[in-house]
Amino acid sequence: MSVAMLMSGFFAGEDYYIERLRSRGVGVAHSLAVLRSRGMRGLRRLHMRSGLPGYAAWFEDWERTVDGADTIIVHASDLSVPVAGYIHRRWPRKRLISWYWNPAGPGSDPGLVPPGTGEVWSFDRGDCRALGLSLNTTYSFRELGDFRGRGEVDFLFVGSDKGRAAVLADLARRLEADGYTYRFCVAGMSRRTRDRYPRLEPIGPIPYVEILRMTGTARAVVEIPQAGQRGSSLRPVEAVLMAAATGVLVLTSDIRAERLYDPERVFIVGRDRWDGLEQFVERASAGPVQDIVDYYDFNSWIRRFDDGGVPL
């Protein structure tokens, strides 16, 4: 099938992902025009939520991209709902998929998509069960194996605070007490949070390719899902695709439902014995497991939309 992807514009790694998508022959554009001015973004948000006419003026110029595709996948958020509605009315015979790559919450509410406006899919198992959505995994690219490096640090976290700082600081304390090395790079911390948790490393914007390089040189990445999340986010998938040394350390057992789960490569805090962490860290990586790489690669992700997705 011929696919067009409309990206959200809110993902830090979008430039890298767009480059990879285009290399696979996928037509790519942003749903909404990229605006540098915070004031203009605020005005757009107010307009698009108001229900007033003329919202198509905020769209990026993607009509030729959409017109030439059989299937259109919109990386969905509240602001993309009018985009999906416009596409459905303009090209009613095309397959339209609203793809929710964040869990349901403020700014990302699948319930806002009007019934009959194409298909609604999510990576989050809990949202799919609660809202009647179709389930697919998140995706990345097998080329991430190029970022695999030598283990320079035992544990790595790179991400936004979003209430994670206290949990990360406690984990850092435990790791430090047992002699492990770590880098917990956290964006969006307030001054008070930075002062309270000195083991965490405050960061500003980092090029996504640099984050991938950092991931490739860690023995394990740390995954702390957002509150209520019931699906694997991107970082563990990227780590598995590049075989980031030993694997993934997580703080929830929900990952056991994911295809990437392997007790040899995934350590679940609170479920696995802490005294087994040393063996987990020191275990030499056998390299990527090819069927897992194939499963999470973009090409397989696309095929799953035709194959019924992932069983709930």
Side-chain angles (χ1 to χ4, degrees):
M1 60 178 172
S2 173
V3 178
M5 300 275 283
L6 298 186
M7 312 299 282
S8 69
F10 307 127
F11 169 40
E14 215 153 66
D15 287 348
Y16 176 80
Y17 272 63
I18 287 173
E19 178 185 346
R20 296 264 55 87
L21 288 167
R22 286 176 174 160
S23 75
R24 304 284 181 101
V26 177
V28 189
H30 290 100
S31 295
L32 305 175
V34 177
L35 301 176
R36 304 300 179 189
S37 165
R38 181 177 297 180
M40 290 297 290
R41 292 197 299 270
L43 179 62
R44 177 177 65 188
R45 187 176 298 109
L46 288 172
H47 184 192
M48 295 191 73
R49 290 177 175 174
S50 70
L52 294 173
Y55 55 78
W58 301 107
F59 296 172
E60 192 169 272
D61 184 12
W62 38 252
E63 294 212 3
R64 290 181 62 185
T65 300
V66 168
D67 194 53
D70 302 317
T71 298
I72 298 92
I73 301 176
V74 179
H75 281 231
S77 68
D78 290 359
L79 289 179
S80 74
V81 171
V83 174
Y86 179 91
I87 292 171
H88 178 67
R89 291 189 298 273
R90 177 77 182 275
W91 294 277
R93 296 183 181 275
K94 292 184 182 292
R95 187 182 187 188
L96 173 62
I97 296 170
S98 291
W99 163 246
Y100 280 86
W101 51 285
N102 275 318
S108 181
D109 181 0
L112 294 179
V113 180
T117 310
E119 305 166 34
V120 186
W121 292 66
S122 173
F123 83 108
D124 190 286
R125 196 176 301 270
D127 289 344
C128 290
R129 287 173 175 158
L131 301 172
L133 314 179
S134 298
L135 177 67
N136 202 348
T137 66
T138 191
Y139 71 91
S140 195
F141 306 94
R142 64 177 68 253
E143 290 88 345
L144 290 182
D146 296 341
F147 290 94
R148 185 183 182 193
R150 302 175 64 180
E152 297 175 2
V153 65
D154 292 328
F155 296 98
L156 174 74
F157 175 87
V158 182
S160 299
D161 181 358
K162 296 182 179 179
R164 298 178 174 110
V167 175
L168 283 167
D170 182 64
L171 178 61
R173 178 188 57 78
R174 295 181 69 183
L175 293 173
E176 189 175 299
D178 288 344
Y180 298 107
T181 60
Y182 63 87
R183 283 191 71 186
F184 291 171
C185 306
V186 185
M189 290 192 293
S190 66
R191 181 182 297 275
R192 181 178 180 182
T193 301
R194 293 196 300 268
D195 292 342
R196 187 174 183 181
Y197 303 120
R199 289 183 174 89
L200 307 184
E201 182 179 334
I203 59 170
I206 298 178
Y208 201 73
V209 170
E210 180 58 27
I211 295 175
L212 293 175
R213 291 194 185 102
M214 293 166 67
T215 302
T217 59
R219 294 187 174 87
V221 297
V222 174
E223 162 72 348
I224 303 179
Q226 299 179 51
Q229 180 176 317
R230 296 293 182 271
S232 179
S233 54
L234 195 54
R235 196 73 70 232
V237 170
E238 291 175 338
V240 168
L241 286 172
M242 67 177 66
T246 321
V248 183
L249 182 144
V250 297
L251 282 81
T252 172
S253 293
D254 291 329
I255 199 168
R256 296 177 67 202
E258 303 298 326
R259 179 75 171 269
L260 62 78
Y261 177 70
D262 175 351
E264 296 294 307
R265 295 169 179 262
V266 178
F267 187 94
I268 303 174
V269 176
R271 183 179 185 277
D272 296 329
R273 292 175 56 91
W274 186 261
D275 60 10
L277 189 61
E278 181 176 2
Q279 183 180 5
F280 172 77
V281 172
E282 291 181 349
R283 187 181 300 121
S285 172
V289 179
Q290 193 59 47
D291 69 322
I292 297 297
V293 171
D294 293 341
Y295 185 77
Y296 286 100
D297 181 70
F298 173 80
N299 290 352
S300 295
W301 178 77
I302 283 290
R303 284 195 294 270
R304 279 195 288 278
F305 287 112
D306 283 339
D307 295 341
V310 177
L312 285 171

